[in-house]
Amino acid sequence: MSASVKYIFVTGGVTSSLGKGIISASLAKLLQARGYSVTIQKLDPYINVDPGTLNPYEHGECFVTDDGAETDLDLGHYERFLNIPTSQANNVTTGRIYQTVIEKERRGDFLGKTVQVIPHITDEIKDRIRALGKTGKYEIVITEIGGTVGDIESLPYIEAIRQLKWELGKDSLSIHLTLIPYLSTTGELKTKPTQHSVKLMLEYGVQPDVLVCRSEHKINKELKNKIALFCNVESRAVIEAIDASTIYEVPLLMKNEQLDRVVLDKLGLDASREANLEGWQNFLSILKTSTTEVRIGLVGKYVELKDSYKSIAESFVHAGVINCCKVKLEWIHSETITEENVASKLNGLAGVLVAPGFGNRGIEGKINAIKFARENKIPFLGICLGMQCAVIEFARNVMGLKGAHSTEMNPDTPHPVIDLLEEQKKITNKGGTMRLGAYPCKVMEGTKIFDTYTTSEISERHRHRFEFNNEYLRDFERAGMIASGINPNAGLVEIVELKNHPWFVAVQFHPEYKSTVEKPHPLFVNFVKAAVSVSSLVQ
Ligand code: GLN
């Protein structure tokens, strides 16, 4: 390992949604493929202490790490690209920074000093950036700054970068991601917004070392030279990031543009080892060439914003490649599914997934979808709330427990088949208080889920307050829904499956958080496999 850890800062300018997360993950992938140990961190400038309290409509999915951090969805991309777990330290918000500084102030740590944005907030930001370097696990730490340069709330972060660049010298590098818009009326790519964005960075005291330019069209040498001239960067450090057909192509596009080589040169790191991307390339070529399509319905209540189910959608991409097919997701709004229209809504689907969620909205639609999948022997995967709905559906329609429900939706249900976890009963605060992160689960041999995992000891990530009510367990098993996975310490039911169904599995945890390009999740792989065999029967 080299003597000093190298720090790369990634900022964005001109507009939001330029894909800083994917560019950061792609660069990290290339550096990893050259043998470097890399991690990526996201700093988010909003005041929520973490995104766990945010409605998915606000910010997309909340990603959960092994150590139980509720984080930004970009961490999901980092894990899917790098195949190494992230942790609490990989996502920090302004809320958490201020919370820490204020706690220190209350303890008296500042010895009577006036506590200010500079240096106290910026020091805390710098500590959070260096914390990952100090673990000794990484040679390179990439820090992505959320938001857009010029936002008031991003300012302390840019200032922290300015200070760190000064302190770290050659061990640091700043990458600025900008937009090169195309004016169709004149048929030209325009560099002015990029020039202005870099000027803003300079005003804050940060000279970007590398510019990654998002564009719908190719950026020729002449244009790169022009951008270089106006922005004080080398021409080879002006990197074209053209729109890609899939995010998994971006590392290869960045490799063609030599982003990794430029970065290594500037950091004084050895660039002689070529990146080994064989596995990645194979994955991508199957992804781009498979023609068999399998249609799976994703039933949820946030389907208008697809980012709400980011990890689920990506898990299907990974599982599709292993099965040499393309999973075509049909996004179905749970609120629109009724007993009358369920057959037409789910018509022809090779599989149905009922998604995680909170609260009553759309619950009956989810239950209708599950009943249809159960009765028509369509492969089914329920995740978290999806599992709870499968239990409720079975209780009502197979066991005859009229009005069975989760106490989350109906506290007065006569049959609380899903109930609040014991440990949750005293909790009133909403932030970071669910059953979160990785817990072990023991898988019963001779079950579908054992065939799936091929091992009896697994660990999966959780995010919930409610749970299968064990008082009903024997009745469920007698009726044909078995608990095939149990938490060995608490006895909580983590997995249920149906005996008389080709593939009906529902899990209390979130397998989607652990699927990566290198290691597609076995649950998704086997679910898609079951769906493929159904769709071949249909054809
Ligand atoms: N609302 C349910 C619970 O809290 C399910 C949560 C989820 O789907 N993530 O238990």
Side-chain angles (χ1 to χ4, degrees):
M1 199 175 262
S2 64
S4 50
V5 178
K6 308 286 184 182
Y7 293 86
I8 300 174
F9 309 113
V10 180
T11 53
V14 184
T15 72
S16 58
S17 304
L18 287 181
K20 286 195 296 282
I22 299 297
I23 293 293
S24 302
S26 299
L27 172 61
K29 183 77 228 168
L30 293 177
L31 298 173
Q32 185 192 54
R34 284 177 180 262
Y36 288 102
S37 54
V38 194
T39 190
I40 321 174
Q41 172 188 47
K42 170 104 189 251
L43 303 184
D44 273 312
Y46 52 73
I47 301 189
N48 303 65
V49 172
D50 60 47
T53 52
L54 288 174
N55 185 315
Y57 288 129
E58 290 281 318
H59 213 65
E61 163 189 291
C62 171
F63 187 78
V64 178
T65 58
D66 273 337
D67 67 349
E70 295 180 289
T71 72
D72 186 78
L73 60 76
D74 272 337
L75 272 78
H77 290 309
Y78 306 161
E79 291 202 10
R80 288 187 281 274
F81 275 51
L82 296 185
N83 195 40
I84 53 169
T86 54
S87 70
Q88 182 75 70
N90 292 75
N91 190 199
V92 182
T93 68
T94 293
R96 194 173 291 280
I97 299 278
Y98 270 82
Q99 191 185 46
T100 312
V101 171
I102 290 169
E103 275 166 12
K104 285 184 184 167
E105 185 275 333
R106 293 288 82 183
R107 276 203 309 265
D109 291 4
F110 297 117
L111 303 173
K113 285 274 179 218
T114 308
V115 181
Q116 296 184 295
V117 173
I118 305 170
H120 300 97
I121 295 299
T122 44
D123 279 353
E124 187 61 35
I125 294 173
K126 290 195 292 180
D127 285 350
R128 300 285 181 152
I129 293 173
R130 284 186 187 258
L132 281 168
K134 285 191 182 140
T135 60
K137 292 199 282 195
Y138 309 107
E139 292 160 290
I140 303 170
V141 176
I142 300 179
T143 300
E144 177 193 344
I145 310 292
T148 310
V149 169
D151 295 348
I152 290 177
E153 53 185 23
S154 304
L155 281 174
Y157 293 96
I158 311 291
E159 169 60 15
I161 291 178
R162 186 192 67 77
Q163 294 177 20
L164 273 176
K165 281 198 80 173
W166 175 247
E167 289 164 27
L168 293 162
K170 286 226 163 306
D171 290 336
S172 69
L173 181 102
S174 146
I175 299 180
H176 190 56
L177 186 61
T178 78
L179 178 71
I180 308 286
Y182 178 76
L183 285 193
S184 54
T185 40
T186 54
E188 273 179 313
L189 285 169
K190 296 307 230 180
T191 65
K192 197 73 82 190
T194 294
Q195 294 178 37
H196 281 301
S197 183
V198 171
K199 286 241 161 65
L200 204 53
M201 291 284 283
L202 291 173
E203 219 171 276
Y204 300 148
V206 179
Q207 166 68 58
D209 302 294
V210 176
L211 294 176
V212 176
C213 303
R214 275 299 300 273
S215 167
E216 287 172 37
H217 295 271
K218 290 211 74 65
I219 302 175
N220 63 26
K221 190 82 201 134
E222 201 187 329
L223 210 64
K224 283 188 177 179
N225 288 341
K226 181 175 172 189
I227 296 167
L229 176 72
F230 278 104
C231 301
N232 324 321
V233 294
E234 274 183 84
S235 180
R236 67 180 190 128
V238 179
I239 306 290
E240 165 198 287
I242 203 153
D243 295 353
S245 60
T246 147
I247 54 170
Y248 299 107
E249 197 172 6
V250 180
L252 300 177
L253 295 177
M254 290 302 105
K255 185 170 187 284
N256 290 345
E257 284 287 298
Q258 305 215 328
L259 173 63
D260 52 337
R261 176 171 291 275
V262 170
V263 163
L264 289 173
D265 286 351
K266 289 191 179 294
L267 287 171
L269 290 173
D270 177 23
S272 58
R273 281 174 294 186
E274 272 306 314
N276 178 0
L277 287 167
E278 212 180 309
W280 194 273
Q281 259 151 344
N282 287 342
F283 170 87
L284 191 66
S285 78
I286 300 175
L287 177 62
K288 290 178 97 175
T289 53
S290 17
T291 47
T292 322
E293 204 173 77
V294 48
R295 284 175 62 224
I296 292 183
L298 191 159
V299 178
K301 69 169 170 179
Y302 305 112
V303 290
E304 304 92 327
L305 183 72
K306 299 202 168 43
D307 270 0
S308 307
Y309 303 110
K310 194 79 206 162
S311 294
I312 293 178
E314 297 305 328
S315 301
F316 276 120
V317 175
H318 310 156
V321 167
I322 293 284
N323 284 289
C324 289
C325 68
K326 247 194 189 64
V327 176
K328 182 167 188 312
L329 283 182
E330 305 284 350
W331 303 77
I332 306 168
H333 201 306
S334 49
E335 271 185 301
T336 66
I337 306 176
T338 63
E339 266 178 77
E340 293 70 41
N341 70 17
V342 63
S344 66
K345 286 234 175 230
L346 305 191
N347 184 31
L349 292 178
V352 173
L353 181 140
V354 173
F358 296 84
N360 202 30
R361 188 165 67 91
I363 284 289
E364 295 305 322
K366 288 185 171 176
I367 292 173
N368 290 330
I370 295 167
K371 179 166 186 273
F372 186 82
R374 179 176 58 74
E375 291 179 343
N376 293 284
K377 308 252 185 269
I378 302 171
F380 169 78
L381 177 59
I383 298 182
C384 206
L385 182 62
M387 177 259 202
Q388 299 175 353
C389 288
V391 168
I392 296 165
E393 190 280 322
F394 194 80
R396 288 183 189 173
N397 300 327
V398 178
M399 295 161 66
L401 301 178
K402 212 161 160 270
H405 221 320
S406 161
T407 50
E408 178 182 3
M409 325 304 162
N410 178 9
D412 303 320
T413 167
H415 301 292
V417 289
I418 303 291
D419 200 6
L420 194 60
L421 281 156
E422 200 47 48
E423 73 221 36
Q424 288 286 327
K425 292 191 175 151
K426 329 169 264 303
I427 295 173
T428 49
N429 265 5
K430 289 275 183 283
T433 56
M434 282 188 251
R435 179 171 180 249
L436 288 167
Y439 284 91
C441 172
K442 195 151 176 54
V443 172
M444 258 173 52
E445 286 187 36
T447 58
K448 267 180 215 87
I449 202 76
F450 189 86
D451 292 345
T452 300
Y453 281 96
T454 62
T455 171
S456 60
E457 267 153 49
I458 61 168
S459 167
E460 293 283 2
R461 300 181 191 172
H462 296 68
R463 183 173 188 245
H464 62 122
R465 295 185 201 280
F466 292 81
E467 178 64 55
F468 185 94
N469 182 346
N470 269 332
E471 285 185 18
Y472 290 87
L473 181 55
R474 288 192 47 201
D475 296 341
F476 271 88
E477 298 212 306
R478 244 181 264 128
M481 179 177 266
I482 57 165
S484 49
I486 307 267
N487 175 288
N489 311 316
L492 300 173
V493 173
E494 305 282 33
I495 311 172
V496 294
E497 62 180 73
L498 287 184
K499 277 199 208 143
N500 298 318
H501 190 289
W503 211 91
F504 187 107
V505 174
V507 293
Q508 184 54 74
F509 48 78
H510 293 261
E512 71 274 23
Y513 294 146
K514 283 183 68 171
S515 187
T516 70
V517 167
E518 209 170 307
K519 267 210 198 134
H521 196 288
L523 258 175
F524 283 90
V525 172
N526 273 28
F527 176 43
V528 171
K529 193 169 156 201
V532 170
S533 56
V534 165
S535 59
S536 62
L537 290 179
V538 174
Q539 276 157 12

